[in-house]
């Protein structure tokens, strides 16, 4: 399917960018501090990234800025994906080819349902996130806005693809790792829920759609 980003993204459309990252054989995910306040017995985790500051900020510049703000300036390069997928707000995954030149994202994520406490909480607007493969030059470090960095292996994502929602304690007991900000405590009984690009990866890993570039 051949598409152009301008077909559905205008200068006023809320958009953002994220990165698929791996370190030492693990997928890298962030747990924002806000999740500790609003999550209850569920703990959402995300890929690294966020909203564009303005329509003039490129998606790759946004991804690099957001990653530096969340995990430090440790991204060494952003890479073109071999294949681009479009994940619709209804959950349909399409294989697409972009008319635009330049680095190809691995994922274009369309979102209409927003949490009650995010930046688009009161908005009915559709939000689009472009997610790119990238590599790391050093181990990520959680910034002040990130409560923790969660490291999961392929088998953890495959387990979630079946519909299981493991607890943090179970993940850590089966080889996952977590780096917490000083003073942050997380209950081992909290249920870990993938969101955004992390949710996409729970399906991608199980179906063998490729992996992010290893750092």
């Amino acid at each position: 399917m051949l598409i152009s980003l301008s077909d559905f993204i205008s200068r006023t459309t809320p958009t953002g960018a994220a990165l698929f990252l791996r370190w030492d054989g693990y997928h890298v995910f962030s747990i924002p501090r806000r999740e500790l306040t609003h999550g209850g017995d569920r703990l959402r985790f995300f890929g690294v990234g966020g909203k564009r500051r303005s329509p003039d900020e490129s998606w790759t510049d946004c991804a690099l800025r957001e990653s530096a703000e969340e995990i430090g300036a440790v991204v060494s390069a952003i890479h073109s994906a071999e294949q681009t997928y479009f994940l619709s707000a209804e959950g349909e995954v399409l294989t697409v080819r972009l008319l635009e030149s330049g680095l190809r994202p691995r994922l274009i994520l369309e979102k209409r349902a927003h949490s009650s406490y995010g930046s688009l909480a009161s908005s009915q607007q559709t939000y689009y996130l472009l997610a790119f493969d990238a590599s790391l030059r050093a181990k990520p470090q959680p910034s002040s806005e990130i409560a923790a960095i969660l490291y999961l292996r392929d088998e953890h994502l495959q387990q979630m693809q079946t519909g299981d929602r493991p607890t943090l304690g179970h993940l850590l007991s089966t080889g996952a790792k977590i780096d917490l900000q000083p003073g942050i405590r997380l209950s081992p009984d909290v249920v870990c829920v993938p969101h955004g690009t992390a949710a996409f990866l729970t399906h991608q890993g199980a179906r063998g759609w490729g992996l992010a570039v290893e750092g």
Side-chain angles (χ1 to χ4, degrees):
M1 179 178 178
L2 187 63
I3 65 171
S4 172
L5 293 176
S6 61
D7 292 340
F8 49 91
I9 298 177
S10 71
R11 286 184 63 83
T12 60
T13 304
T15 59
L19 297 175
F20 291 109
L21 299 170
R22 285 174 69 96
W23 180 255
D24 196 26
Y26 289 84
H27 299 274
V28 178
F29 302 106
S30 68
I31 301 174
R33 282 183 178 268
R34 66 174 185 270
E35 295 301 314
L36 307 189
T37 303
H38 300 279
D41 61 353
R42 293 157 55 92
L43 186 67
R44 298 193 305 174
F45 61 92
F46 304 75
V48 172
K51 289 181 64 178
R52 285 201 293 177
R53 280 180 170 168
S54 76
D56 296 318
E57 183 178 40
S58 72
W59 281 286
T60 52
D61 284 347
C62 172
L64 288 171
R65 174 182 55 77
E66 285 284 341
S67 64
E69 291 174 359
E70 294 184 7
I71 62 171
V74 293
V75 173
S76 58
I78 296 178
H79 311 277
S80 273
E82 295 182 1
Q83 183 63 66
T84 299
Y85 300 94
F86 183 95
L87 176 57
S88 74
E90 293 74 29
E92 182 182 10
V93 178
L94 303 173
T95 302
V96 299
R97 186 160 58 91
L98 294 178
L99 287 171
E100 287 84 0
S101 60
L103 292 174
R104 294 183 300 274
R106 195 206 304 186
L107 173 66
I108 303 170
L109 185 151
E110 180 184 57
K111 181 183 176 185
R112 295 197 186 99
H114 308 299
S115 70
S116 60
Y117 51 87
S119 60
L120 294 172
S122 61
S123 173
Q124 299 299 315
Q125 289 181 286
T126 301
Y127 173 79
Y128 291 96
L129 183 79
L130 273 63
F132 299 84
D133 289 325
S135 52
L136 294 166
R137 66 167 63 92
K139 185 179 181 183
Q141 300 295 327
S143 70
S144 58
E145 66 184 65
I146 301 299
I149 297 175
L150 181 64
Y151 297 88
L152 300 179
R153 292 192 182 276
D154 291 346
E155 53 264 32
H156 299 123
L157 301 181
Q158 291 165 357
Q159 178 185 352
M160 294 179 190
Q161 197 273 341
T162 65
D164 288 349
R165 289 293 181 260
T167 64
L168 178 60
H170 174 77
L171 289 173
L172 295 178
S173 70
T174 55
K177 298 180 180 180
I178 192 166
D179 285 343
L180 296 166
Q181 277 280 9
I184 295 291
R185 293 181 179 273
L186 296 176
S187 168
D189 298 324
V190 72
V191 176
C192 295
V193 180
H195 192 73
T197 55
F200 173 75
L201 275 181
T202 64
H203 298 283
Q204 184 186 33
R207 295 172 182 171
W209 292 349
L211 297 171
V213 177
E214 184 72 48

